[in-house]
Amino acid sequence: MKRVARAAVRLFAIAFALSIGVGQAPADERQWRAFWVDAWNSGIKTPEQVDRLIADMKALHCNTIIAQVRKSGDAYFRKTVDPFADDPVIPAGFDPLADLLEKAHKEGMQVHAWLNAMPMWKGSQTPPRSKEHLYHFHGPERTGRANWLTCDDKGDNRYPVGFFLDAGHPNVSTHLAKVVVDLVKNYPVDGVHLDYIRYPESTGEEQGGIGYNAVSVERFNQVHGRSGKPGRDDPAWKDWRRQQVTQLVRCLRVELLAANPKVLFSAALIPWGDGPSEEIGWVKSAPYNRVFQDWHAWRQEGLLDLAIPMNYDREARPDQKAFFEHWVTIEKEHRYHSQLVVGLGAYLNSTADTLKQLRLALAPSAHAGPADGVCIFSYAAFRNAAPGSGKPTLEDLRHVLLDGDGNQRGPFAQPAALPEAPRVVRPKLGTLAGYVLGGGGKPVDSRAVRIEDDATGKLVATSKTDGNGFFAALFLPPGKYRVSVPGDPCAAPFEVRAGAVTNIVKPVRGSEN
């Protein structure tokens, strides 16, 4: 009976898709149409590059630019705690992000600032010249608490992506929060987009050889009453590393909400290998187990406004074609509090195959509507392709996006309005966040926090403190709430207001963690 019902829903979805043209939004539909614009290549480094980028986005009927402004602990914007990028292409005194924002906003486009969160520096490069770079204060030459890098259980801290921060070190969260707050207070960005918000890749014999920063291991052992180094496959150790990444995302989400609640929060997410056929299969997926990025839980909790999975699969390969279809289906059907923007690896595909993937993303699935938009990787791959080189150019891509394939006009034939974020335009819920501190103001680590409705005494949310004692509960109805931890009674209630963050400090008497 269930199969018959599902088949009927699937037939309805196909019929609906055909009635509007698969992947072709109705004229009044809002849709994210974005490009990732990386800073390793041309894009935003000079006024002329920015002018061309804006013109190219207009020609492609795109409305959102996700511009990389932090690669490896450096910045392509000048008002920040990180050192400005050592890039000879940038004219003296030029602020790439400021120029891009001014010009894009005049054209009605959004700009989301793309930050590589965890990479500190490329392992193959000479150390950064700026003495203000994190590398010199907290890089491979530092020891003890001053070293912020992740490493394997043998102490090796050099990965294919380079030197990588460890989410289990509390100071990493503090620094990245400063970067985000500086950004949104000094620049009118429309969004903050995190990349590499996870642990680095490790495969084969090295799989699981991540997360062994000495401070994180010490915290883990203190919480679990252990000593030594946990095994790579220890279930508690795996859960710990997932927890550290999630707590980092939660902290940055709340810091952003407090600094400027109108700015959207998104992340580039890992969908490696085959996607789960059902939601329950998420715990066996590659992001959950290989890099400890539990982004399905992030969507459930509402940590992201936009979820942007990097669905980089080759349509011409049958196995990867199936991977793409499976992942996009699960992404559409379990959005929870996030909008879905499907990331397309167009650099891997012909323009015809990119069109196929884009149409699939913008078509309903059997049990859910179309994605809320797409983001194409990458601008540089098409901008730098020379005519006649055999690689598709921006004009080749424009042709299929706007004109289609001869049988049907392109999905970007008409410009699209930007989608609304209900949290921003019609705020109805609020956030309660704060710090649990023990004797001498010491952070209380990994302590359960209960949030109860003041009027009814009902438990409405739970959280767990991170290494700084930070906790948060999002999406609470306006009202008064009491906060407690085991062994410590509730204090006076705190009021939560719609669209705002209520920050508190919860002292815990006599706690030594």
Side-chain angles (χ1 to χ4, degrees):
M1 193 61 160
K2 289 183 178 180
R3 291 182 179 176
V4 173
R6 289 181 179 176
V9 173
R10 188 174 294 107
L11 288 172
F12 169 79
I14 294 171
F16 174 76
L18 291 174
S19 71
I20 66 169
V22 177
Q24 180 178 309
D28 60 346
E29 186 172 348
R30 296 174 180 268
Q31 192 177 84
W32 298 103
R33 296 180 182 174
F35 262 83
W36 276 296
V37 181
D38 72 85
W40 300 101
N41 294 285
S42 300
I44 65 168
K45 298 182 182 182
T46 68
E48 295 75 22
Q49 288 184 14
V50 173
D51 290 341
R52 176 174 171 179
L53 171 61
I54 299 297
D56 288 339
M57 293 299 101
K58 286 181 64 177
L60 290 161
H61 288 172
C62 289
N63 54 30
T64 304
I65 298 169
I66 300 181
Q68 188 176 50
V69 294
R70 189 179 195 267
K71 301 197 312 281
S72 300
D74 53 2
Y76 282 75
F77 53 106
R78 295 188 177 274
K79 300 174 184 178
T80 179
V81 66
D82 286 328
F84 190 72
D86 184 12
D87 193 323
V89 177
I90 302 174
F94 181 63
D95 190 320
L97 179 57
D99 191 59
L100 174 63
L101 283 163
E102 179 182 0
K103 292 172 179 176
H105 286 169
K106 285 181 179 178
E107 298 295 339
M109 297 179 191
Q110 285 198 359
V111 174
H112 294 216
W114 166 9
L115 310 175
N116 277 7
M118 308 306 279
M120 176 186 276
W121 195 247
K122 284 281 190 181
S124 59
Q125 292 178 322
T126 57
R129 291 195 292 179
S130 172
K131 298 304 180 184
E132 299 304 312
H133 198 283
L134 281 180
Y135 180 98
H136 299 295
F137 294 102
H138 304 292
E141 301 303 318
R142 298 295 177 176
T143 60
R145 194 172 182 86
N147 187 300
W148 294 3
L149 297 177
T150 196
C151 61
D152 65 16
D153 44 2
K154 299 175 183 177
D156 187 1
N157 55 24
R158 193 186 297 258
Y159 292 87
V161 70
F163 297 111
F164 212 82
L165 297 173
D166 196 302
H169 196 304
N171 293 132
V172 170
S173 177
T174 302
H175 181 81
L176 292 179
K178 175 66 173 171
V179 172
V180 168
V181 171
D182 282 352
L183 172 65
V184 301
K185 286 190 172 181
N186 291 313
Y187 296 86
V189 296
D190 303 287
V192 171
H193 178 72
L194 299 183
D195 197 2
Y196 288 100
I197 186 70
R198 53 180 175 84
Y199 280 99
E201 298 91 331
S202 59
T203 58
E205 293 182 358
E206 297 302 316
Q207 188 164 346
I210 47 181
Y212 285 89
N213 177 275
V215 173
S216 187
V217 171
E218 180 183 11
R219 291 177 54 219
F220 172 82
N221 284 337
Q222 187 172 15
V223 168
H224 291 273
R226 298 189 189 182
S227 62
K229 293 181 180 178
R232 295 183 177 188
D233 293 327
D234 183 332
W237 177 234
K238 288 184 175 181
D239 286 342
W240 173 266
R241 287 174 286 182
R242 274 188 289 271
Q243 176 184 315
Q244 303 317 301
V245 179
T246 296
Q247 287 180 320
L248 173 58
V249 174
R250 184 181 298 118
C251 175
L252 298 181
R253 166 65 146 166
V254 173
E255 290 284 357
L256 178 56
L257 284 173
N260 189 339
K262 294 184 178 180
V263 178
L264 300 179
F265 192 51
S266 68
L269 307 171
I270 295 295
W272 291 336
D274 200 359
S277 58
E278 295 181 327
E279 188 175 15
I280 195 173
W282 168 254
V283 296
K284 297 182 180 180
S285 68
Y288 186 85
N289 291 290
R290 282 177 55 187
V291 291
F292 306 109
Q293 187 187 63
D294 190 7
W295 55 262
H296 183 60
W298 304 353
R299 297 200 294 178
Q300 291 175 312
E301 188 178 344
L303 299 185
L304 301 175
D305 292 307
L306 305 179
I308 312 184
M310 297 176 288
N311 298 106
Y312 298 168
D313 295 299
R314 291 174 171 82
E315 184 73 9
R317 282 186 49 173
D319 58 340
Q320 294 192 16
K321 174 183 171 70
F323 295 168
F324 181 86
E325 293 173 355
H326 297 163
W327 272 113
V328 171
T329 297
I330 205 78
E331 291 159 10
K332 290 177 185 176
E333 296 183 351
H334 302 285
R335 281 174 248 203
Y336 291 97
H337 295 288
S338 301
Q339 293 187 42
L340 170 63
V341 179
V342 173
L344 301 177
Y347 74 106
L348 296 172
N349 291 295
S350 67
T351 53
D353 283 348
T354 292
L355 182 60
K356 291 178 184 177
Q357 291 190 346
L358 193 152
R359 289 193 192 281
L360 178 64
L362 297 181
S365 71
H367 305 290
D372 300 291
V374 294
C375 184
I376 297 174
F377 189 87
S378 71
Y379 174 68
F382 294 92
R383 181 192 192 277
N384 296 335
S389 65
K391 297 181 179 180
T393 64
L394 279 171
E395 178 57 25
D396 296 328
L397 185 62
R398 190 203 66 79
H399 174 69
V400 298
L401 292 181
L402 274 63
D403 300 334
D405 54 10
N407 298 317
Q408 185 181 352
R409 69 175 185 165
F412 289 7
Q414 298 296 325
L418 286 157
E420 291 184 338
R423 175 190 66 75
V424 174
V425 298
R426 292 179 296 278
K428 297 180 180 179
L429 304 173
T431 296
L432 181 61
Y435 292 85
V436 177
L437 304 179
K442 181 181 178 181
V444 177
D445 195 354
S446 298
R447 184 67 62 88
V449 179
R450 292 170 55 89
I451 296 93
E452 300 171 356
D453 186 283
D454 181 51
T456 66
K458 180 182 178 181
L459 178 67
V460 295
T462 59
S463 184
K464 182 176 285 188
T465 59
D466 66 9
N468 293 313
F470 176 82
F471 73 93
L474 290 82
F475 293 105
L476 295 175
K480 292 185 177 181
Y481 297 88
R482 292 182 179 269
V483 178
S484 67
V485 297
D488 195 83
C490 292
F494 301 94
E495 185 169 1
V496 170
R497 293 177 290 110
V501 177
T502 299
N503 282 302
I504 70 170
V505 173
K506 172 68 175 172
V508 180
R509 295 183 295 276
S511 173
E512 292 302 329
N513 224 15

